Amino acid sequence: MSAMLLIEQALNGLQLGVMLFLMAAGLTLVFGVMGLINLAHGSLYMVGAFACAVVAAHTGSYLLGLAAALAAAAAAGALVEIVVIRRLYDRDHLDQVLATFALILVFSEGTRYLFGSLPLYLNVPAALSGPVMLPGGIAYPAFRLAIIAIGLAVALGLFWLIARTRLGIRIRAGESDRQMIAALGVDIRRLYTIVFALGAALAGLAGALVGTLQSVEVGMGEPVLILAFVVIVIGGIGSIKGALVGAILVGVTDTMGRFLLPQIFATFMDPSRATGVGSALASMLIYILMAVVLILRPQGLFGARA
Amino acid sequence: MTRERIVNAFLWLALLVVPLAAAQMGQPYIVSLATKVVILALAATGLNLALGLGGMVSFGHAAFFGVGGYAAGILMNHATTGAALPFGLSGTNQMIALWLAALVASGLAALVIGALSLRTSGVYFIMITLAFAQMFYYFAISWPAYGGEDGLSLFVRSQFLGVNTFDPLNFFLICFALLSLALLLSATLARSRFGIALQATRQNPQRVEALGIRPYRLRLTAFVISGMITGLAGALYADLNRFVSPAMLDWHLSGEIIVFVILGGMGRLMGPIAGAALFIVMEHKLGGISEYWKALLGLLLLGVVLFARGGIIGLLAGKLRHV
Amino acid sequence: MFEPILDIRNISKSFGALRASDDVSLTLHPGEIHALIGPNGAGKSTLIRQIVGEYRHDAGEIWFAGQEIGALDAPARARLGLARTFQVSSILAEFSVLQNVVMAVQGASGKIFRFFRPALGDPALTEPARAHIDHAGLQGRESVTAADLSHGERRKLEIAMALALSPRAFLLDEPMAGMGPEGSKQLTEILRELKQQAPILLIEHDMDAVFALADRVSVLVYGRIIATGTVAEIRANPEVQTAYLGDDAA
């Protein structure tokens, strides 16, 4: 097994990690500021992917497609927030879960109605379709490198937003005391819509980027949503830093696990059995990681102690 | 006779009478549909114990449904192929043995998942139960021995004493009897010391601690019993369809089981039956009209959550009163 | 002199730089009502939570009924007979008054993992529950849903639940809070009777109640006990006057 392959897989893990971060950041932000758990976050991911596919195909410009992904997801998010979500802030978590689960059904069937069940394909933009030569002689796909770069840039942007801007201050204040900032004259309703739309835009961006790598189809956001939940549990609810650390941890563990475990088992089992057992165990790895974190630190790595 | 008791009796009888009549009129399809309602109602009855009485929002009950189904399915598979199982066990086609296996397997799964998850609460608990159930799902897909993603076909119907279990009505009656037992257990538990303490813990855990009771143990016990009932339903489901697949472990199913409970009325004894029946009727009727019927289900669910929180039983029998 | 039922020795607790409890010592003897007073923010709630077991103290010992209870969690302490009421009434709102108190009797008995016999049909639970309900002044209200009770009745319900624990000591957290004059008078009478059953550590702001009921008073300021004595002694104490009224008073 070569070091090159290992590094390639590690980079893939990093790429998965930053995409998970985009999902998890939106989720944890919404939970931290509004106290709301949103299962329909995966649907916003899907909306972004579809918007990108449609606009990119129509205009021939991937960049326009990405812009459309951000806009469409943010718009969908804002619409959903105004029509449904804002009735749920005072409700218990069960109601929030059920209502957002209902939204998933509506979004999924609606999308299937508009686009059918067959996947759409997004083409990697020509400029990024080749490999990039990394130090050490590794040829890594340019697009994946771009995803990592975009993801890290967004992370930095988010940290800057939270730490340095007026909006960020309101977000941080809102996380600690909702009633207080309302009393201080901050327009809570607008703040909440903006935060929700921001989270949605991040999800939509992730959907478009990953949709380019894989495919764009109904329900694509759900496995990612669940991974994002695992990330948040590990990182701690309400913590963006936790989301980043958790996401990279999960991304790398999952990718390296799937790569290494079958090989490890192959050293003492016959190859066909090794692949079976190895992949089965690899698929459980991040959940085992989550369980371990839960036992040692139930509030997550960076979460507030209850 | 309170209004709720009347509604309950009516629902129970209707669920029994409709397939009986259908069988007389030579409509075995309706009998199968009713069997499906009964099995899903049983799964939801299990969840109702954890969710309705205990306030534990488990978004991972499909794990127990699937574990129960696979426990039964694997045993039946081994009975057919004759292959040996670890620990010197052999496969079996006997219903009672299959049910026991399903109860034990899902009980163990609930013990492990519950012991870990109940150390958290609120949103964490919801996400963690979802995640653990997905773990089982992905495992089932990648474990090659029992069909993986394609699932496992069981070519027989299991046996119960001397009864001809291939007859749809007989199978229905067996499932209905089990559901009735589960409902009886549910009602008994709810009124027992354990049930009162569990409901108290749902309302005010701090108060309960001030009265000398530890919530964790109560909740874990309820969670395990809940998982076992749902697991039994899974075994019946595998038997009904003569098929087990990872879809039985999918989180969508977890969501649907919660939907049955909520549509019917959370914490109400017959809520699971009302909810499961409504769901199956919608699937059958609306599904015939449009393949996008789940969007309508979504809108209905939204409506119930926002405006009719007590579900069907709430509408028919008024608010739940403890006195 | 009787041994104290509750003996708090040098309890300290800090939250970061904030010293919420600073070397606090106090005792509760059989037959007495010991009032704990102090200005807002003095740390009374924090102290209660340490005694009850919600917080773990950083230093010191808590002795109750002859044993050191520092390692026990809240349910264990409740089972030993440490009965507390809450500053904001904490009841089981969906249950009836009877169900609330049955729950308390059940908790005290330690036998909750019973799955078959209906709890409300068990005289071993309902008879003591009814007695406690009467004792607390809620006769005739047993079928009322707790959410429908008046504020004063909720206070009485909490007392009924505390009685069910066969208490060796009561820890009452501002029972007079939110009560009008008529309600306060009633509650004062109930508390006076209650001390026959078990001594009371009474956290209160309502000075009329304190002066009417307390055998001893301790004053907590910025996490420290600055004085302990009879009502008369405390009223005359210059440090106490300063703490409450500022430097002009002394």
Side-chain angles (χ1 to χ4, degrees):
Chain A
M1 171 190 21
S2 64
M4 265 175 46
L5 216 51
L6 214 61
I7 295 180
E8 233 189 272
Q9 290 298 329
L11 282 172
N12 285 348
L14 183 60
Q15 178 243 300
L16 174 60
V18 295
M19 286 300 99
L20 283 179
F21 168 71
L22 290 183
M23 277 299 264
L27 267 178
T28 211
L29 208 57
V30 166
F31 191 81
V33 176
M34 288 102 93
L36 179 113
I37 175 171
N38 175 21
L39 289 186
H41 205 64
S43 301
L44 296 164
Y45 174 94
M46 178 182 74
V47 164
F50 272 91
C52 185
V54 165
V55 169
H58 214 69
T59 64
S61 160
Y62 188 76
L63 231 49
L64 272 181
L66 278 186
L70 286 167
L79 181 65
V80 156
E81 198 274 340
I82 294 173
V83 173
V84 177
I85 302 285
R86 58 170 56 161
R87 298 167 204 270
L88 300 171
Y89 295 136
D90 292 329
R91 303 286 206 106
D92 60 28
H93 295 311
L94 173 63
D95 286 358
Q96 295 172 357
V97 156
L98 287 167
T100 51
F101 181 74
L103 284 174
I104 296 179
L105 294 175
V106 172
F107 267 109
S108 291
E109 296 305 307
T111 308
R112 233 165 36 100
Y113 178 72
L114 289 172
F115 295 98
S117 303
L118 291 175
L120 297 181
Y121 290 97
L122 255 176
N123 294 318
V124 178
L128 293 171
S129 54
V132 164
M133 291 311 286
L134 296 173
I138 302 169
Y140 194 67
F143 187 67
R144 286 188 184 245
L145 219 50
I147 291 185
I148 295 179
I150 294 176
L152 290 175
V154 170
L156 276 171
L158 210 54
F159 282 120
W160 174 82
L161 177 80
I162 304 274
R164 303 269 172 196
T165 64
R166 274 255 206 77
L167 177 62
I169 291 180
R170 294 196 182 122
I171 288 176
R172 277 182 288 142
E175 278 178 332
S176 17
D177 197 329
R178 248 162 265 158
Q179 285 164 326
M180 199 53 201
I181 62 168
L184 289 172
V186 174
D187 186 344
I188 288 286
R189 281 159 75 113
R190 246 190 53 177
L191 177 65
Y192 286 3
T193 309
I194 291 176
V195 171
F196 198 83
L198 175 62
L202 291 174
L205 177 62
L209 291 172
V210 176
T212 312
L213 273 182
Q214 299 173 351
S215 67
V216 173
E217 55 187 332
V218 173
M220 62 189 285
E222 291 164 20
V224 190
L225 178 73
I226 303 205
L227 283 180
F229 281 160
V230 174
V231 166
I232 293 182
V233 169
I234 291 178
I237 292 191
S239 164
I240 303 258
K241 189 163 63 158
L244 185 58
V245 170
I248 299 200
L249 201 55
V250 168
V252 171
T253 307
D254 189 57
T255 308
M256 299 299 276
R258 285 177 198 281
F259 173 61
L260 289 173
L261 274 174
Q263 300 199 20
I264 294 177
F265 278 103
T267 60
F268 57 88
M269 271 185 203
D270 63 276
S272 55
R273 272 201 73 204
T275 326
V277 174
S279 357
L281 213 58
S283 63
M284 300 204 312
L285 202 55
I286 55 163
Y287 302 102
I288 298 176
L289 176 65
M290 181 182 80
V292 169
V293 170
L294 266 181
I295 295 176
L296 297 176
R297 217 181 134 81
Q299 70 273 37
L301 296 174
F302 295 92
R305 194 167 263 283
Chain B
M1 259 295 223
T2 67
R3 202 151 46 124
E4 181 158 358
R5 290 242 178 97
I6 298 175
V7 171
N8 287 354
F10 176 74
L11 276 170
W12 186 83
L13 277 170
L15 189 55
L16 179 61
V17 162
V18 165
L20 280 176
Q24 287 296 343
M25 298 194 299
Q27 302 254 35
Y29 182 61
I30 305 256
V31 179
S32 293
L33 222 54
T35 313
K36 206 172 168 196
V37 170
V38 166
I39 293 175
L40 292 177
L42 182 62
T45 299
L47 179 64
N48 206 12
L49 186 63
L51 176 62
L53 281 188
M56 296 176 265
V57 185
S58 164
F59 217 99
H61 255 57
F64 312 127
F65 192 70
V67 163
Y70 269 95
I74 289 176
L75 283 174
M76 282 170 71
N77 175 260
H78 278 260
T80 311
T81 63
L85 282 162
F87 309 119
L89 295 169
S90 60
T92 173
N93 269 331
Q94 296 303 314
M95 270 192 187
I96 299 196
L98 293 173
W99 297 341
L100 275 168
L103 286 168
V104 169
S106 50
L108 277 171
L111 184 61
V112 171
I113 292 182
L116 286 169
S117 313
L118 286 168
R119 307 176 88 233
T120 69
S121 60
V123 201
Y124 280 107
F125 180 75
I126 301 175
M127 297 197 295
I128 287 161
T129 48
L130 204 167
F132 275 131
Q134 278 309 90
M135 179 179 85
F136 280 85
Y137 172 72
Y138 287 125
F139 182 78
I141 287 186
S142 31
W143 188 257
Y146 298 108
E149 195 161 357
D150 299 326
L152 187 65
S153 285
L154 314 165
F155 298 100
V156 294
R157 170 69 52 80
S158 59
Q159 294 160 20
F160 186 73
L161 308 177
V163 177
N164 173 20
T165 52
F166 274 104
D167 180 280
L169 189 63
N170 285 347
F171 189 69
F172 166 81
L173 287 169
I174 294 174
C175 294
F176 187 77
L178 282 177
L179 175 64
S180 302
L181 278 173
L183 287 171
L184 193 60
L185 179 66
S186 251
T188 309
L189 282 179
R191 285 195 286 263
S192 71
R193 290 195 189 203
F194 171 77
I196 301 281
L198 186 64
Q199 291 173 75
T201 307
R202 170 176 54 78
Q203 291 174 55
N204 192 339
Q206 192 188 30
R207 177 28 94 183
V208 157
E209 285 199 336
L211 295 176
I213 295 174
R214 292 193 179 90
Y216 180 78
R217 262 180 237 176
L218 265 174
R219 288 179 172 146
L220 184 57
T221 309
F223 195 76
V224 170
I225 299 175
S226 159
M228 286 169 78
I229 296 176
T230 304
L232 180 62
L236 293 174
Y237 196 73
D239 214 346
L240 173 70
N241 298 315
R242 275 167 273 173
F243 181 65
V244 198
S245 82
M248 286 177 72
L249 294 158
D250 188 3
W251 74 290
H252 286 120
L253 186 59
S254 293
E256 281 169 14
I257 301 178
I258 301 185
V259 170
F260 303 153
V261 173
I262 297 305
L263 277 184
M266 197 171 92
R268 311 303 276 261
L269 184 65
M270 297 286 182
I273 294 187
L278 178 61
F279 181 86
I280 294 294
V281 165
M282 280 183 79
E283 187 181 51
H284 192 58
K285 290 279 176 221
L286 294 178
I289 301 175
S290 161
E291 59 180 297
Y292 307 108
W293 74 278
K294 283 208 172 160
L296 282 164
L297 175 67
L299 289 173
L300 173 67
L301 181 59
L302 260 178
V304 168
V305 171
L306 291 177
F307 307 116
R309 202 45 186 75
I312 295 174
I313 306 276
L315 283 174
L316 293 176
K319 249 191 116 187
L320 178 60
R321 291 172 68 244
H322 289 275
V323 262
Chain C
M1 193 54 199
F2 293 108
E3 270 294 301
I5 287 280
L6 182 61
D7 190 353
I8 297 172
R9 301 180 189 170
N10 309 101
I11 291 294
S12 292
K13 182 156 189 77
S14 301
F15 294 104
L18 173 67
R19 215 157 161 67
S21 298
D22 192 352
D23 199 37
V24 172
S25 293
L26 85 76
T27 58
L28 183 66
H29 291 268
E32 74 165 345
I33 294 183
H34 187 155
L36 181 64
I37 65 176
N40 275 324
K44 303 195 288 294
S45 287
T46 310
L47 185 62
I48 296 306
R49 291 166 102 149
Q50 291 171 76
I51 299 174
V52 163
E54 279 180 22
Y55 285 168
R56 187 97 178 76
H57 50 271
D58 294 338
E61 293 180 341
I62 304 178
W63 286 79
F64 181 62
Q67 35 173 304
E68 214 277 311
I69 60 172
L72 299 180
D73 62 6
R77 298 186 196 190
R79 286 245 287 274
L80 279 181
L82 187 58
R84 57 103 46 117
T85 64
F86 292 78
Q87 191 176 355
V88 178
S89 292
S90 178
I91 56 178
L92 304 168
E94 292 173 25
F95 281 174
S96 67
V97 166
L98 181 63
Q99 278 170 314
N100 267 269
V101 186
V102 159
M103 200 39 232
V105 175
Q106 191 176 298
S109 76
K111 302 197 182 89
I112 51 166
F113 284 91
R114 299 284 184 277
F115 300 94
F116 298 106
R117 191 171 178 186
L120 287 179
D122 186 353
L125 293 177
T126 52
E127 281 179 18
R130 291 196 165 102
H132 299 314
I133 289 175
D134 287 346
H135 208 145
L138 281 172
Q139 306 86 331
R141 302 290 279 162
E142 73 172 47
S143 310
V144 177
T145 304
D148 296 337
L149 291 175
S150 71
H151 176 75
E153 288 177 318
R154 288 184 189 210
R155 293 320 228 178
K156 291 181 186 171
L157 177 56
E158 287 221 326
I159 291 181
M161 289 199 274
L163 284 169
L165 289 175
S166 300
R168 289 163 143 150
F170 289 100
L171 221 73
L172 305 181
D173 197 347
E174 298 193 38
M176 302 296 171
M179 299 285 265
E182 186 53 43
S184 291
K185 252 185 22 186
Q186 267 187 30
L187 206 50
T188 303
E189 278 320 301
I190 292 177
L191 293 187
R192 197 166 301 180
E193 254 206 67
L194 224 52
K195 84 166 178 185
Q196 325 275 10
Q197 182 122 10
I200 303 176
L201 181 61
L202 177 69
I203 290 74
E204 250 315 330
H205 266 304
D206 179 344
M207 288 308 158
D208 291 333
V210 170
F211 296 151
L213 287 169
D215 299 302
R216 283 195 297 153
V217 179
S218 287
V219 185
L220 189 69
V221 180
Y222 291 133
R224 304 191 68 244
I225 301 270
I226 62 169
T228 298
T230 63
V231 168
E233 287 167 2
I234 291 297
R235 280 171 104 154
N237 184 313
E239 261 191 87
V240 174
Q241 289 172 0
T242 313
Y244 269 99
L245 303 167
D247 286 313
D248 322 319

